[in-house]
Amino acid sequence: MYTQERTTMANLVVGGPVAVNSYDNAIVAALVENRPVMLVHAFNGGYLRPAELKEDSHDKGVKLATALDPATKDAQGHLWHITPAGFFGQRPLYFIESAAGQVSPKPAGAGGVDDGRGDDGAPKPQRRRITVHQEAPKSTADAVQVGLPDKVGDKWRGKNGAIEDTQLWVVTVTPWGGITFVPITHPDAILGFKDHAVATDSEVRLTYNWGGDFTGTVINTFYPRLPNEWSVPYHHVFT
């Protein structure tokens, strides 16, 4: 069914009690290898993309698109990094970072200090993160923005002074092979859509997590797909 080589990690547990088996290579690649993936919605197959793809945009939100146009694909607007960001108790935390508009920083000079380097020694790129509004999901205002930590608006900065507070997510693997996102600033909320409408150009919001079974959480269940798998049908998970 998949052409992607399967991982040998057969029992990785991420953010919850559900084990990720070797079949879910895209989830493992997104969470462990930090490879960019598409976040495809379980309900209608649409994918998340920033409303604005440019690197200098920090005050726009996220929407659900149902067609992958060339401009979005060329700008990598369909791809996201789910980047490890420490722990909350024993639960790992992640940033949801857009591959669109990322900035490659200049190399640090001799004796200079930068924000860290990857395994290959190159400076890490600056990526715009999904940031949650402090008052979400109470307000009808735009509840998420995509921007660099020091560029988003004041209400999208951490309440306790740490700009990352509103950008940290608990990622939970669902029994049907998808993932859900819970912001640590709003533990009773999940990543959803305005008016619970999962349709073309639906705006991403935080919505209260009513719990329940699949139908109760379908508004925020996504399937990570590797870039070379983005056109694979998703309905197979129900058969």
Side-chain angles (χ1 to χ4, degrees):
M1 186 174 295
Y2 291 116
T3 57
Q4 176 69 28
E5 181 181 354
R6 296 179 180 179
T7 177
T8 58
M9 295 183 182
N11 196 30
L12 175 71
V13 178
V14 181
V18 180
V20 180
N21 59 39
S22 60
Y23 184 75
D24 301 311
N25 55 284
I27 296 177
V28 174
L31 298 176
V32 178
E33 301 173 17
N34 197 22
R35 293 173 61 181
V37 293
M38 291 186 76
L39 296 177
V40 179
H41 198 270
F43 187 72
N44 70 349
Y47 66 94
L48 287 186
R49 57 150 288 179
E52 178 58 64
L53 302 178
K54 295 185 296 184
E55 65 185 41
D56 57 354
S57 175
H58 306 286
D59 60 350
K60 303 298 180 182
V62 182
K63 66 180 183 179
L64 191 79
T66 52
L68 184 56
D69 59 272
T72 301
K73 189 172 183 180
D74 290 345
Q76 294 191 315
H78 60 309
L79 298 179
W80 299 87
H81 292 268
I82 306 177
T83 308
F87 290 86
F88 180 70
Q90 294 183 344
R91 308 196 75 174
L93 298 172
Y94 298 88
F95 298 125
I96 312 172
E97 299 180 319
S98 174
Q102 68 181 24
V103 181
S104 296
K106 299 177 181 178
V113 178
D114 57 33
D115 292 329
R117 294 177 178 270
D119 294 339
D120 58 358
K124 292 181 180 179
Q126 288 183 299
R127 300 190 184 113
R128 296 180 301 156
R129 302 169 180 169
I130 292 184
T131 302
V132 176
H133 195 278
Q134 287 182 6
E135 299 175 358
K138 297 178 181 178
S139 173
T140 57
D142 197 358
V144 300
Q145 286 188 357
V146 180
L148 294 176
D150 57 342
K151 298 292 181 67
V152 295
D154 290 339
K155 281 291 186 177
W156 276 264
R157 300 175 190 270
K159 293 182 179 180
N160 298 321
I163 54 178
E164 292 86 0
D165 284 357
T166 53
Q167 299 172 334
L168 292 169
W169 298 79
V170 175
V171 179
T172 301
V173 181
T174 66
W176 41 85
I179 55 178
T180 61
F181 299 99
V182 179
I184 65 166
T185 51
H186 306 284
D188 58 345
I190 52 178
L191 192 64
F193 294 96
K194 183 180 180 181
D195 302 323
H196 309 296
V198 186
T200 303
D201 292 331
S202 290
E203 298 176 59
V204 171
R205 296 285 194 269
L206 287 190
T207 185
Y208 286 108
N209 181 15
W210 304 114
D213 56 9
F214 174 80
T215 56
T217 56
V218 68
I219 53 175
N220 84 320
T221 301
F222 296 91
Y223 294 98
R225 291 273 71 92
L226 295 173
N228 62 331
E229 292 181 330
W230 72 267
S231 60
V232 174
Y234 306 102
H235 65 268
H236 71 270
V237 297
F238 309 117
T239 59

